[in-house]
Amino acid sequence: MEEGRRDHPDLFHLRPAGKARIISVEKTRELIALLNRTSLQGGAKAAIIHEADRMRKEAANAFLKTLEEPPPGTYLLLLSTRPYSLLATIRSRCLVARVPSREESLGNEEWKNWIARYQDWIRLLLDRERIRLDRVGPLLEAYGLSSSLIGLINRMSDSACKDADDSSPPMEDKERDAMEAGIRRGVRTTLFGHLSDATRTVVTADELRGDLPKLGVKLARALSSLERNASLLEVNLKDEAAIENFHLSSLRIWTAK
């Protein structure tokens, strides 16, 4: 909770905190107590719950009554990129407003260059004659792609975290750590989504359309590998291990007979 250190005395923020990035019942009760106080400027009060899906069950249950019957002149905004991870009892008490993402990362030239390099790598893996002549190059490129993608995620995340920190009111270190972890996760999820699209684009290209029945099976396996490694990142597998595993798995998939 950020009391006494915010951009307006009647505006309150509740964020996830700690390595687990959770919103605890204790912090939720602090917010409820603040909302039940008299407005310091005699007007409305507002609370923003960041990453509301990170509320623990106990915190969500403690918040239900306030959400259903807010104190007079009180506005509650629950922010989430995963609304269906919220308890149904919380979701049913909210009006949903969808805000489209700007996805600024798509305009990043470094990302576009990486995608082009990745697609060229897949085309190389599908060319059996080139693979027969050079078996080491594609493996080295797999590690090069992994290293470049990790660096890209780090730089994009650092930039997004700086922007968020500059535009946010002061917060506790644990809250800042949780916010930065959430931003990094968002950047990674966005890039992985477009990595999936880029993989489909290669396989469905005109020059490969004749092999589509066979390549479709490989595509499904490659995308399954991407999803599996993305899921492992959600349980704190290191980026390096998951991304390298995806590229090495892809190498085996695309070069298999």
Side-chain angles (χ1 to χ4, degrees), residues 70-81:
T74 300
Y75 297 88
L76 305 172
L77 288 84
L78 282 69
L79 310 183
S80 175
T81 57

Side-chain angles (χ1 to χ4, degrees), residues 107-119:
N108 186 299
E109 283 300 317
E110 191 178 4
W111 169 244
K112 291 179 180 178
N113 292 337
W114 188 92
I115 282 292
R117 181 178 162 193
Y118 167 75
Q119 291 180 320

Side-chain angles (χ1 to χ4, degrees), residues 90-222:
I90 291 284
R91 227 170 39 242
S92 65
R93 288 164 171 79
C94 297
L95 295 174
V96 178
R98 300 185 182 277
V99 180
S101 168
R102 291 179 298 170
E103 293 189 342
E104 293 175 349
S105 61
L106 298 184
N108 186 299
E109 283 300 317
E110 191 178 4
W111 169 244
K112 291 179 180 178
N113 292 337
W114 188 92
I115 282 292
R117 181 178 162 193
Y118 167 75
Q119 291 180 320
D120 285 343
W121 179 66
I122 293 180
R123 294 186 187 97
L124 168 62
L125 298 180
L126 293 174
D127 188 330
R128 303 198 64 80
E129 181 61 24
R130 290 175 66 190
I131 290 294
R132 187 181 67 81
L133 296 173
D134 180 10
R135 296 180 180 276
V136 177
L139 177 60
L140 295 177
E141 180 65 354
Y143 282 108
L145 286 166
S146 297
S147 177
S148 297
L149 181 55
I150 292 164
L152 192 53
I153 290 172
N154 289 338
R155 287 188 291 277
M156 285 187 172
S157 299
D158 290 346
S159 176
C161 287
K162 183 179 184 305
D163 290 344
D165 199 36
D166 289 344
S167 61
S168 299
M171 62 187 80
E172 297 174 4
D173 288 344
K174 288 183 178 180
E175 291 173 328
R176 180 177 288 101
D177 289 344
M179 180 192 74
E180 290 177 354
I183 288 172
R184 180 181 181 84
R185 178 172 164 258
V187 168
R188 197 172 58 204
T189 299
T190 297
L191 296 188
F192 278 20
H194 292 284
L195 173 56
S196 176
D197 291 341
T199 307
R200 288 189 183 90
T201 299
V202 172
V203 173
T204 57
D206 289 342
E207 65 267 23
L208 297 175
R209 200 170 291 278
D211 294 326
L212 196 54
K214 182 177 180 180
L215 292 180
V217 175
K218 293 186 176 185
L219 174 63
R221 290 177 60 198

Side-chain angles (χ1 to χ4, degrees), residues 30-44:
E30 285 181 25
L31 173 64
I32 293 169
L34 290 169
L35 293 175
N36 280 289
R37 294 181 185 175
T38 303
S39 168
L40 293 177
Q41 292 198 350

Side-chain angles (χ1 to χ4, degrees), residues 1 14 23-25 27-33 35-36 47-49 52 55-71 74-78 86-87 89-90 93-94:
M1 273 305 306
L14 179 59
I23 296 176
S24 67
V25 66
K27 291 292 185 181
T28 303
R29 286 175 177 151
E30 285 181 25
L31 173 64
I32 293 169
L35 293 175
N36 280 289
I48 301 175
I49 295 85
M55 270 189 168
R56 299 194 67 148
K57 185 176 181 180
E58 299 87 346
N61 288 333
F63 195 57
L64 277 177
K65 184 171 178 16
T66 301
L67 187 60
E68 190 166 39
E69 299 178 15
T74 300
Y75 297 88
L76 305 172
L77 288 84
L78 282 69
L86 289 162
L87 288 182
T89 48
I90 291 284
R93 288 164 171 79
C94 297

